[in-house]
Amino acid sequence: MALKHEPTVPYHSAQDALRVLETVARHSAGVTVTGIARRTGLRAERLTVLLRMLRREGYVDQDTDGAYVTGAALARLGSAHHHDEALREQLQRTLDRLRDSVGAAVYISRYVDGEVRVTQYAAGPATPAVNEWVDFRFSAHATAVGKSLLGQLDHNGRRDHLARHKMARLTSRTITSDKVLLSRLEAQPPTVPVLDLQEYAIGTVCAAVPITAGSAVGCLALSLPVEHAHRLRQAADTLNRNAAPVLLSLAL
């Protein structure tokens, strides 16, 4: 199965952040902002944003002289024995912050062994998670998560998935024609969030953005009660702009 996607804005941000991290890691005694800029070629304003994000995520810290050194979160992820646990904890902290910043439940989903899997999420009393009334594995055609993941596959990969999972009508808005769905997936720009406007469940709207790292297909998504549908596009854009920490964690 081949992938069909283009790098998104979060991808480029994560790549730049990795360059900064690699530079800091090579200088155990610390490196100044000027030194990082010289070695990475990043502009001052861009570097300021990236360093702020890396500090917030715990990947870098500043010593008493103001030089940047590696942070505790990077050390935890560097442990071979506890990497998976550390990654899950790091992602959960990031998801919790995203939930609060976008005012919606947020989810990480992956396409694993030909199936849609929601691997982590952050919700709360004011930001309820979507009610999974139909298993997400069997409803990719109706969810923002599923359509984002399928959109990152090539045509044969999409057809293979749809051949294995009948496109059931879940609401009056659900697409049940594979021809229509495949056409929309083909036309979907990779940098534009995929939307679900009550296609999966009446009373819920969702959006998803790709967070593909290497050959692994993934997405970051959010859900809102339909009474907050007017916030969906703005929340999706905020999610997209702030997806880089998730991509970065997955890449480390």
Side-chain angles (χ1 to χ4, degrees), residues 140-215:
H141 65 290
T143 64
V145 160
K147 288 184 286 184
S148 178
L149 295 176
L150 292 179
Q152 296 174 64
L153 307 180
D154 63 9
H155 185 75
N156 290 335
R158 296 169 189 167
R159 280 206 167 276
D160 172 73
H161 184 94
L162 297 178
R164 290 183 287 108
H165 297 294
K166 178 178 171 57
M167 295 174 61
R169 185 177 298 281
L170 306 184
T171 77
S172 63
R173 296 172 177 266
T174 306
I175 298 171
T176 56
S177 164
D178 58 350
K179 183 178 179 180
V180 172
L181 180 64
L182 289 169
S183 176
R184 292 192 181 181
L185 291 176
E186 188 66 34
Q188 175 73 28
T191 56
V192 176
V194 178
L195 303 182
D196 158 19
L197 304 176
Q198 301 188 87
E199 296 172 51
Y200 173 74
I202 296 298
T204 302
V205 294
C206 306
V209 297
I211 52 167
T212 300
S215 61

Side-chain angles (χ1 to χ4, degrees), residues 5-229:
H5 60 80
E6 300 172 26
T8 58
V9 172
Y11 172 86
H12 291 303
S13 294
Q15 289 296 101
D16 287 345
L18 273 174
R19 289 163 58 197
V20 174
L21 266 183
E22 289 167 356
T23 299
V24 174
R26 283 196 295 267
H27 296 78
S28 57
V31 58
T32 64
V33 172
T34 302
I36 298 171
R38 184 169 61 249
R39 290 166 175 81
T40 61
L42 293 168
R43 298 192 309 274
E45 59 270 26
R46 176 69 171 157
L47 188 53
T48 297
V49 171
L50 291 171
L51 286 169
R52 186 184 303 127
M53 182 266 282
L54 290 170
R55 287 194 68 184
R56 186 181 66 239
E57 297 295 321
Y59 289 131
V60 301
D61 206 345
Q62 279 184 292
D63 62 21
T64 54
D65 295 326
Y68 283 90
V69 294
T70 55
L74 190 64
R76 285 193 298 269
L77 284 176
S79 170
H81 295 297
H82 303 290
H83 177 268
D84 290 348
E85 179 184 353
L87 176 59
R88 187 169 186 83
E89 291 174 353
Q90 181 71 19
L91 287 172
Q92 194 61 51
R93 285 191 290 270
T94 302
L95 288 178
D96 289 345
R97 280 194 291 270
L98 280 172
R99 174 200 59 204
D100 296 340
S101 65
V102 302
V106 294
Y107 314 78
I108 294 176
S109 185
R110 313 287 281 171
Y111 196 72
V112 182
D113 297 328
E115 301 294 351
V116 172
R117 301 186 190 279
V118 174
T119 55
Q120 279 182 256
Y121 71 95
T127 53
V130 65
N131 175 33
E132 189 180 355
W133 75 284
V134 175
D135 194 316
F136 290 139
R137 290 177 299 170
F138 309 130
S139 54
H141 65 290
T143 64
V145 160
K147 288 184 286 184
S148 178
L149 295 176
L150 292 179
Q152 296 174 64
L153 307 180
D154 63 9
H155 185 75
N156 290 335
R158 296 169 189 167
R159 280 206 167 276
D160 172 73
H161 184 94
L162 297 178
R164 290 183 287 108
H165 297 294
K166 178 178 171 57
M167 295 174 61
R169 185 177 298 281
L170 306 184
T171 77
S172 63
R173 296 172 177 266
T174 306
I175 298 171
T176 56
S177 164
D178 58 350
K179 183 178 179 180
V180 172
L181 180 64
L182 289 169
S183 176
R184 292 192 181 181
L185 291 176
E186 188 66 34
Q188 175 73 28
T191 56
V192 176
V194 178
L195 303 182
D196 158 19
L197 304 176
Q198 301 188 87
E199 296 172 51
Y200 173 74
I202 296 298
T204 302
V205 294
C206 306
V209 297
I211 52 167
T212 300
S215 61
V217 172
C219 73
L220 191 60
L222 66 85
S223 66
L224 287 167
V226 70
E227 54 265 30
H228 293 288

